[in-house]
Amino acid sequence: MDEANVEKTIELAESITRKRGLIEGIRGDFDAVFIRDVDARRLTKVAVDLQKSMEQSMKKISEKNSEQLIIKLQKLMQAVMKRLQMEFYAILCGSSSLDLEPDGGVVMADLRSIADCTIACGYGKECVSVYTSVRRSVVHEQLHDLRADRFPGANEMKKMEWKVVEEKVKRWIYLVQAAVNEVFRREKLLSRSVFPAEVAELCFRETCGDAAADLLRFPADFGNRARNMSPEKVFRTLDAYEALAALLPTIDSMFSGRTSAAIRSAAAEAAVNLRSAARTMIGRFRAAIQEDSSKPPANGGIHPLARYVMNFLLFLDDYGVLISDDVVRVLDPPRVFSGEDPPAIAWFVVALICKLNGKAATYDDVGLGYLFLANNLNYVVSKIRSSNLKLSVGSEWISGRESELSGSLSKYVESDWTRLISPLDARDPTVEIPREEAGEIFRDFNSHFRETYGKNRYRVIPDPELRTRVRDSLRAATVSPYAEFYDRCAVKYNRVFGSDPIALYTPEDLEYYVRDLFSDPSS
């Protein structure tokens, strides 16, 4: 650039900066030329020409008047750069979110033009400072609009009620998803649209890094707190883990720069912490099954442990891959499955069945123990069949439990009811039974029936289908044989024998009493 062009550049720079009220640090009313599209392109061209003039003048530093010229050029450059920074600030603050999309038209081109110019002239740091200051505030406002709460630390959470902590977890899940997928994503695209790649990474880190670090601090703290929580609270832990695990690839991609390594590490560590907390809580669930010492219900109904475990497992199964071996493998492999080891969730079912068998053995009444087993096996199998748990335990295992259920029902009927009919069945149907002997048989039956019915009257079978199945078994085992004996003897001898009737009950009476058994009071 010759001296004439240098002088021309100086005159143009002085003209533009004086016209716009900014030279040698004096600022008048600001009128953004980029927004009005007046002198915009000339301003960036002047800056580039000034840079070239300074470079040329620096080569002639030893010549007369070169030092004064350089000082003058530097002052003009500072004025032009400040002007451009103000333009940059005005565009950022005055543009809508739509304008700042990557295809935002004039607006994005102007921002990129100013950024390129300031970087080329050695003022990139100042431009970045303006950008990050504005966009950091925007990010803060956007997160505030999303109702970003102040999230408590691990020590503070210890003093909170679970309902409060639970709401904090729900709020965090919503917020982190919105922040990463909407706010941070938009800022990433914007920074890349305005700045060259390396500078864009720095701007994005400065704009969103602190907000990301704050968001990732909560799951880490919650994971530490969750380790000491009861097993039922594992589901919120899994919710947080699921949300964060799904976002990890996006976080790694967004914060991929060298300066963002701490963000990537914090996200990965928070996910590991949540997963570890879930494992600890599920391990505590296993211990709760093994250590349960509660007595079985007196009516032979569903044990609370069975309801607790199956409901827990049904919820747990909803998390799919999250409760794979990586999270749930906390038990030794059971030996009741053929082929390969079953999914870890099936182990808890095995542990429950073993525990229920132990509780059945604590009944003083053997028949009640079998009824208890039948009720609970039916409950467990029904829950499994109606859910995805059937895929975990397999059809072979289900068939095995159904066989056990049938066996328990048979033993219940045999131990409590079949003995009532044995004296009747022992008689040769072709031999006539004397009246006195028939009366003795009926009296013995009456006594045993009252006893058996009395102790079974308050026992329950909650499942309607199983209740019908058991009643049908009792009809086949008692009512039908009794009806045959009744028709054989009572019709002939149904008269007063001493002071008592020979047959106190008709077959219809027994049918009524059987139909009255096992009704669930809660239904």
Side-chain angles (χ1 to χ4, degrees):
M1 182 179 288
D2 56 28
E3 292 184 7
N5 285 329
V6 171
E7 289 298 328
K8 185 178 179 181
T9 297
I10 292 174
E11 290 177 5
L12 182 59
E14 288 178 337
S15 172
I16 292 177
T17 52
R18 186 177 292 110
K19 177 182 177 181
R20 296 300 166 188
L22 181 58
I23 190 168
E24 296 182 355
I26 300 174
R27 178 179 178 180
D29 293 334
F30 178 64
D31 186 11
V33 297
F34 275 77
I35 293 177
R36 294 179 55 197
D37 203 22
V38 178
D39 288 334
R41 304 297 177 267
R42 297 176 65 194
L43 192 60
T44 54
K45 185 178 185 306
V46 163
V48 173
D49 289 344
L50 282 173
Q51 179 67 15
K52 292 179 180 178
S53 297
M54 282 194 295
E55 292 173 354
Q56 180 174 314
S57 299
M58 290 295 291
K59 296 177 182 178
K60 302 177 180 180
I61 190 66
S62 60
E63 296 182 6
K64 187 178 180 179
N65 297 328
S66 291
E67 186 174 348
Q68 291 181 351
L69 177 61
I70 290 173
I71 293 174
K72 186 174 185 178
L73 289 169
Q74 287 176 335
K75 287 184 177 180
L76 280 171
M77 177 63 83
Q78 289 172 358
V80 171
M81 287 296 108
K82 188 165 186 179
R83 174 74 194 200
L84 285 174
Q85 290 169 31
M86 294 173 67
E87 294 283 350
F88 196 74
Y89 178 87
I91 295 172
L92 284 173
C93 293
S95 302
S96 66
S97 297
L98 184 61
D99 292 332
L100 292 178
E101 291 295 328
D103 57 351
V106 172
V107 171
M108 292 304 300
D110 289 342
L111 288 174
R112 183 63 185 249
S113 175
I114 296 174
D116 289 343
C117 181
T118 55
I119 291 172
C121 294
Y123 284 80
K125 183 177 180 181
E126 289 78 2
C127 184
V128 167
S129 178
V130 172
Y131 178 87
T132 55
S133 175
V134 173
R135 297 311 300 177
R136 191 185 296 117
S137 296
V138 172
V139 168
H140 176 78
E141 290 175 4
Q142 289 176 336
L143 294 180
H144 179 73
D145 290 342
L146 290 170
R147 294 168 54 201
D149 297 330
R150 185 188 70 81
F151 293 105
N155 290 331
E156 190 176 354
M157 272 188 273
K158 292 179 181 178
K159 304 174 184 177
M160 290 181 172
E161 293 185 2
W162 167 244
K163 289 184 178 180
V164 177
V165 177
E166 187 176 29
E167 287 304 314
K168 294 289 184 182
V169 176
K170 291 179 183 178
R171 171 53 48 187
W172 176 83
I173 291 172
Y174 165 76
L175 183 62
V176 75
Q177 290 172 335
V180 173
N181 294 324
E182 298 175 24
V183 179
F184 295 166
R185 180 194 63 82
R186 188 162 49 244
E187 292 302 318
K188 181 77 170 183
L189 294 174
L190 179 60
S191 66
R192 285 183 170 180
S193 299
V194 175
F195 295 99
E198 186 174 347
V199 180
E201 290 300 326
L202 174 63
C203 288
F204 177 67
R205 169 65 181 83
E206 291 297 314
T207 300
C208 299
D210 289 344
D214 288 342
L215 280 174
L216 293 171
R217 194 172 295 115
F218 175 74
D221 290 339
F222 174 68
N224 291 332
R225 174 70 180 91
R227 295 175 190 276
N228 299 316
M229 293 179 179
S230 58
E232 306 84 43
K233 297 178 177 61
V234 73
F235 301 109
R236 283 288 168 249
T237 309
L238 287 172
D239 286 339
Y241 174 69
E242 180 182 36
L244 185 54
L247 291 173
L248 281 181
T250 304
I251 292 173
D252 286 345
S253 175
M254 279 185 173
F255 295 90
S256 57
R258 177 178 53 82
T259 59
S260 299
I263 300 296
R264 299 193 299 273
S265 177
E269 290 176 4
V272 169
N273 205 24
L274 288 169
R275 184 179 63 193
S276 176
R279 284 177 61 90
T280 299
M281 298 168 80
I282 291 172
R284 196 172 294 122
F285 169 64
R286 173 202 62 183
I289 298 175
Q290 295 176 330
E291 297 170 4
D292 183 84
S293 59
S294 59
K295 294 182 179 180
N299 59 10
I302 310 301
H303 197 287
L305 179 66
R307 297 186 188 277
Y308 168 69
V309 171
M310 293 310 299
N311 288 334
F312 189 98
L313 294 181
L314 290 174
F315 279 118
L316 201 60
D317 191 60
D318 288 339
Y319 289 84
V321 296
L322 295 183
I323 50 86
S324 63
D325 296 346
D326 188 41
V327 176
V328 186
R329 192 167 285 280
V330 290
L331 292 174
D332 294 330
R335 303 305 176 192
V336 296
F337 292 87
S338 61
E340 298 180 358
D341 286 345
I345 196 169
W347 301 355
F348 296 104
V349 181
V350 175
L352 172 62
I353 296 297
C354 292
K355 197 69 179 180
L356 292 173
N357 274 292
K359 291 183 181 298
T362 65
Y363 282 106
D364 293 331
D365 188 294
V366 176
L368 181 56
Y370 288 128
L371 181 64
F372 167 80
L373 266 184
N375 271 326
N376 284 269
L377 282 170
N378 181 72
Y379 176 81
V380 171
V381 171
S382 296
K383 288 289 186 181
I384 291 174
R385 277 200 173 279
S386 62
S387 71
N388 287 330
L389 286 176
K390 61 179 177 291
L391 303 177
S392 296
V393 301
S395 58
E396 184 178 346
W397 186 87
I398 294 176
S399 296
R401 304 297 75 72
E402 289 177 336
S403 295
E404 289 182 13
L405 166 60
S406 298
S408 296
L409 288 179
S410 296
K411 291 177 180 178
Y412 161 69
V413 173
E414 180 181 353
S415 62
D416 264 23
W417 296 92
T418 305
R419 66 186 181 90
L420 289 172
I421 304 300
S422 56
L424 284 65
D425 286 342
R427 299 293 175 174
D428 185 345
T430 63
V431 178
E432 182 177 347
I433 302 175
R435 185 180 61 180
E436 293 80 2
E437 187 176 348
E440 187 65 30
I441 291 174
F442 277 118
R443 281 197 300 272
D444 185 60
F445 176 87
N446 296 341
S447 175
H448 285 121
F449 180 80
R450 281 194 296 266
E451 177 188 351
T452 302
Y453 175 79
K455 69 178 183 179
N456 278 276
R457 184 178 181 184
Y458 299 105
R459 295 173 181 176
V460 299
I461 301 178
D463 182 72
E465 292 185 7
L466 183 63
R467 191 185 312 145
T468 299
R469 179 179 172 184
V470 173
R471 286 172 177 170
D472 289 343
S473 296
L474 293 185
R475 289 188 186 96
T478 59
V479 178
S480 296
Y482 181 83
E484 291 180 8
F485 190 82
Y486 182 89
D487 290 342
R488 178 184 172 191
C489 297
V491 172
K492 181 178 180 180
Y493 299 127
N494 194 14
R495 60 178 64 92
V496 176
F497 184 76
S499 59
D500 298 321
I502 292 179
L504 182 60
Y505 303 104
T506 67
E508 291 74 19
D509 292 333
L510 294 190
E511 175 71 29
Y512 170 80
Y513 286 121
V514 168
R515 192 168 57 246
D516 185 54
L517 290 172
F518 313 123
S519 295
D520 186 1
S522 63
S523 61

